[in-house]
Amino acid sequence: MSASGMASAAMAETACKPAPGDTSNRLTAAERSEGWVLLWDGKDLSQWRGLNSDQFPQSGWTSCDGTLTIHEKGGEEGRAGGDIITRKRYSDFELKVDFRITPGANSGIKIFAQSDLSPIDKYTGKPVKVGSGIGMEFQVLDDALHPDAKLGRDGNRTIGSFYDVIPAPKDKLVNPTGEWNSARIVAQGDTVTFWLNGKQTVSFVRGSEAFREAVKQSKFSAISGFGEWRDGHILLQDHGNTVSFRNIKLRELPAQ
């Protein structure tokens, strides 16, 4: 490597080091004893792959400064690096993820994602070639600036909602754009609950009459058995906007 190349590499390595004293992407002794594992430790991407690939995307995503970031692509869904999913499938679990959005950004954290189902159009629900993977989505959104917040029904596309199915309450706790927010998702048996910054936003029972009626009114109505899969991947969405993630932690729970 040339001297200039070595200098550039050294600069990149320095730029991607977390700030001194940063304690993100670590487990406490208590968390380890409770069975928590890191799905990303700030460096190692081996637990993740592309939605339609056995490899991690070569572009669009970066792992730097203790954050895992999908970068801007003009809001074009799945066009930057594409969604990423865990290599492992999960059924009963508790998941925690910190996320930070940029102005006007859209993304999502999906559970029970199915890599063998085609993406669907966000307006019609019909299959498309390029888009986001199918799963139950904890919506990540700038409600003030992204138009999706005004679509759907009763605010079910706003931050903290079960995207396009069940809305988060209007009095949810949301930190300002550019600051970190915390998502927590518990799925045990058929019961799933979402929390945003420590406050519950959504709770539902998969397969219940109320659940099926809500799905029937959503854009997922044509997907047979939507949300009732036994297990699936954890997915971080590429919606064409810059969004960062960190502290991605999971613990598996006893089956119910």
Side-chain angles (χ1 to χ4, degrees):
M1 182 183 291
S2 67
S4 60
M6 291 175 65
S8 297
M11 289 176 63
E13 182 180 355
T14 300
C16 283
K17 286 184 177 179
D22 179 38
T23 58
S24 60
N25 308 308
R26 301 180 190 177
L27 295 175
T28 65
E31 286 174 325
R32 286 193 292 271
S33 69
E34 293 169 353
W36 288 92
V37 296
L38 286 172
L39 296 183
W40 183 64
D41 65 0
K43 298 178 181 179
D44 182 10
L45 295 166
S46 63
Q47 296 187 73
W48 297 84
R49 66 175 178 88
L51 176 64
N52 300 306
S53 170
D54 191 51
Q55 304 299 317
F56 193 87
Q58 296 297 304
S59 62
W61 291 87
T62 59
S63 171
C64 186
D65 293 332
T67 65
L68 183 57
T69 301
I70 180 63
H71 292 277
E72 182 69 31
K73 192 69 173 180
E76 297 182 76
E77 190 174 0
R79 303 275 182 173
D83 297 346
I84 57 173
I85 61 174
T86 54
R87 294 185 180 276
K88 185 174 178 179
R89 298 171 69 94
Y90 299 94
S91 55
D92 298 272
F93 59 88
E94 181 175 1
L95 173 71
K96 294 180 181 179
V97 183
D98 292 345
F99 62 90
R100 183 177 63 195
I101 60 175
T102 51
N106 186 347
S107 184
I109 302 162
K110 299 187 183 183
I111 59 172
F112 293 92
Q114 306 297 308
S115 59
D116 59 344
L117 294 178
S118 298
I120 59 175
D121 183 87
K122 65 181 179 180
Y123 298 111
T124 67
K126 295 182 178 180
V128 293
K129 291 184 178 180
V130 179
S132 185
I134 301 298
M136 295 186 291
E137 179 179 348
F138 180 110
Q139 173 75 310
V140 171
L141 193 80
D142 181 348
D143 288 353
L145 296 179
H146 198 285
D148 234 23
K150 296 179 176 60
L151 300 178
R153 292 183 304 106
D154 304 323
N156 65 5
R157 294 190 179 186
T158 61
I159 188 171
S161 297
F162 173 10
Y163 172 72
D164 208 52
V165 182
I166 302 174
K170 291 182 172 58
D171 64 348
K172 59 200 170 187
L173 300 177
V174 185
N175 294 328
T177 301
E179 295 185 12
W180 288 101
N181 286 272
S182 174
R184 176 179 170 228
I185 302 172
V186 176
Q188 191 167 28
D190 291 327
T191 301
V192 177
T193 308
F194 291 174
W195 283 265
L196 174 63
N197 295 321
K199 185 174 182 178
Q200 182 178 307
T201 58
V202 169
S203 186
F204 54 92
V205 178
R206 301 188 295 145
S208 67
E209 183 178 346
F211 176 85
R212 290 177 176 174
E213 181 59 31
V215 170
K216 185 178 178 180
Q217 297 182 60
S218 77
K219 72 176 189 179
F220 305 109
S221 60
I223 300 175
S224 179
F226 175 82
E228 298 183 40
W229 310 290
R230 180 68 191 94
D231 60 18
H233 304 276
I234 308 300
L235 180 152
L236 300 181
Q237 187 184 40
D238 167 15
H239 207 291
N241 301 128
T242 300
V243 177
S244 296
F245 303 91
R246 71 178 186 187
N247 289 327
I248 308 171
K249 304 176 181 182
L250 181 144
R251 65 170 175 169
E252 297 193 63
L253 302 174
Q256 285 189 349

